[in-house]
Amino acid sequence: MRAFLVVMDSVGIGGAPDADAFFNDGVPDTGADTLGHILDACAKGAAEKGRSGPLHLPTLSALGLCHAADLASGGARADDTVPMGRWGAATEVSKGKDTPSGHWELAGLPVPWDWHYFPDTTPAFPKDLTDEVCRIAGVGGVLANCHGSGTVMLEEFGADHIRTGFPICYTSADSVFQIAAHEEHFSLQRLLDLCEGLAPTLHKMKVGRVIARPFVGEPGNFTRTGNRHDYAITPPDPVLTNWVQDAGRRVYAVGKIGDIFTMTGIDEVRKGDDANLMGHLSDLIDEAEDGSLTFANFVEFDSLYGHRRNVSGYARHLEWFDAQLAGLLARLRPDDMLLITADHGNDPTWIGTDHTRERVPVVVAGCGEGTVGQIGFADVAATIAAHLGVQSHGPGRSFL
């Protein structure tokens, strides 16, 4: 038997009971519903760029996705079809709506501290921190020093970066410190060395990630490359990947999972854009050995469409994922489990540009049919551990 844990990054389904404590541009996330609002927009003909009509997700719907959405937020999205998979809605307890919080808790470890967030001011960073950036990079200053989206940062500061050599440093509503630099004018390796050298200082502050954001091009035509690298805090206690590896099993990371968990409990990493990652996941369905865990993250829902509030693009990506998923399910072995979930929301119809606090779907192929009800994020890890026959050390409970 094998387990495949697949995270559709940011595909929330609304209904978080504490959404009023999380904000976008000062507005609480109450009522945010990534999947539900995309369904509504498609039904109204308001998501017609590159696609058309109602959102078409036959594979995910057959597993119970819309039933899970109804359970999370009562939106009456499902029809009378009985799902062929197990389905439910998961609620997070960690006090963050970010990538590490969601993934750590899905892997059995609710975040045991409050993350440090930088104020939405200019400058956003304390002087001693920017001085450290300058010392490590050997430069006389930094650019931006504020909250902002990556594409806007390149448009506003890219030309000055090439002229001065100063790195572009910015943050968001997440606990992150991001550094953008040109791969040719600054050099990719120099950027990676800078982020790696700065990470220990930020991790002591409980900043979740330092993110290298390399780009190429010329003023007016800058493009981020696929050489992004996250330097995340190492989980302070063992997580699902450790439980599986410690039992003598192999663990594959697809996408940014290796970065999120700083390679703890991971044997092999396969990276690329989402199209490449789908190919890697497909290969592992054929190749992964008995008893193994494959942990995958498909980030472009979030990075390309959620943060950019692109409803049509998000809908297109959901339909692409659904079509690809159909071929994967047909090749699972009889005793495999494939569990699909998300780490947070990022409602593309919402105000602002940041994540939204939501419940997430849990739909499972290979473990029978029917609802698993309202569960916790950590129950995902416990369930996968139970399926693989390895010991669970977290607070979650298996729904098997």
Side-chain angles (χ1 to χ4, degrees):
M1 60 183 61
R2 305 175 300 173
F4 298 87
L5 172 55
V6 179
V7 177
M8 301 186 297
D9 200 304
S10 85
V11 184
I13 51 175
D18 56 357
D20 60 347
F22 296 83
F23 298 86
N24 263 273
D25 286 356
V27 176
D29 286 343
T30 307
D33 184 350
T34 299
L35 179 64
H37 288 157
I38 294 170
L39 283 163
D40 291 343
C42 292
K44 295 174 183 175
E48 297 289 303
K49 293 181 180 178
R51 60 163 309 280
S52 186
L55 189 64
H56 186 60
L57 303 177
T59 308
L60 286 164
S61 296
L63 289 175
L65 178 64
C66 292
H67 287 73
D70 285 356
L71 181 63
S73 51
R77 311 287 182 186
D79 58 24
D80 294 332
T81 303
V82 177
M84 66 179 186
R86 303 293 295 274
W87 55 271
T91 303
E92 185 175 10
V93 299
S94 299
K95 300 303 180 184
K97 52 177 179 175
D98 52 83
T99 294
S101 295
H103 281 78
W104 285 17
E105 193 167 332
L106 289 170
L109 179 65
V111 177
W113 54 62
D114 290 332
W115 297 111
H116 178 82
Y117 300 94
F118 293 106
D120 192 0
T121 58
T122 303
F125 309 123
K127 184 176 183 300
D128 60 346
L129 183 56
T130 54
D131 286 347
E132 182 67 359
V133 174
C134 293
R135 184 192 69 79
I136 295 172
V139 296
V142 302
L143 299 172
N145 200 345
C146 61
H147 280 235
S149 78
T151 51
V152 172
M153 293 296 98
L154 300 191
E155 292 170 3
E156 292 189 2
F157 300 103
D160 286 342
H161 164 71
I162 291 174
R163 178 177 57 83
T164 64
F166 294 176
I168 303 168
C169 300
Y170 62 104
T171 188
S172 71
D174 289 347
S175 181
V176 294
F177 190 98
Q178 305 190 75
I179 306 178
H182 199 285
E183 288 194 357
E184 298 168 5
H185 294 279
F186 191 87
S187 103
L188 175 60
Q189 190 58 53
R190 186 180 174 201
L191 172 61
L192 297 177
D193 290 344
L194 170 58
C195 292
E196 184 176 9
L198 189 64
T201 297
L202 286 152
H203 293 168
K204 288 179 183 177
M205 298 168 62
K206 293 298 185 285
V207 175
R209 289 176 291 164
V210 181
I211 305 178
R213 292 284 198 176
F215 64 97
V216 295
E218 300 301 327
N221 189 31
F222 291 124
T223 304
R224 294 198 295 199
T225 75
N227 293 320
R228 162 183 170 161
H229 190 84
D230 292 30
Y231 297 84
I233 294 179
T234 301
D237 292 306
V239 294
L240 174 64
T241 54
N242 302 110
W243 310 342
V244 175
Q245 192 181 66
D246 290 348
R249 315 290 184 79
R250 192 163 181 82
V251 179
Y252 298 93
V254 176
K256 64 179 184 176
I257 297 298
D259 292 344
I260 295 168
F261 292 98
T262 60
M263 291 300 295
T264 181
I266 293 169
D267 295 295
E268 182 180 331
V269 176
R270 303 188 185 190
K271 288 191 171 184
D273 61 19
D274 275 10
N276 289 324
L277 298 182
M278 187 62 73
H280 294 320
L281 181 57
S282 178
D283 290 342
L284 285 165
I285 284 180
D286 293 334
E287 301 167 4
E289 57 265 53
D290 190 51
S292 64
L293 167 67
T294 296
F295 196 166
N297 171 283
F298 287 84
V299 71
E300 290 177 5
F301 298 105
D302 186 60
S303 62
L304 296 186
Y305 308 115
H307 286 299
R308 300 180 189 184
R309 298 302 190 249
N310 183 341
V311 181
S312 293
Y314 210 129
R316 287 197 311 272
H317 208 58
L318 281 165
E319 290 173 334
W320 166 81
F321 181 90
D322 188 89
Q324 297 295 313
L325 179 63
L328 302 185
L329 295 181
R331 302 196 338 264
L332 291 174
R333 298 174 187 171
D335 55 358
D336 285 343
M337 165 194 280
L338 191 150
L339 188 154
I340 301 168
T341 186
D343 53 343
H344 49 70
N346 201 349
D347 188 337
T349 73
W350 209 247
I351 190 171
T353 61
D354 293 314
H355 298 152
T356 43
R357 181 71 162 188
E358 302 178 40
R359 287 183 168 123
V360 301
V362 175
V363 295
V364 190
C367 293
E369 302 175 357
T371 183
V372 302
Q374 295 275 9
I375 63 172
F377 273 38
D379 296 339
V380 169
T383 300
I384 290 173
H387 173 75
L388 293 176
V390 304
Q391 186 174 358
S392 170
H393 299 281
R397 299 180 63 183
S398 171
F399 56 72
L400 293 179

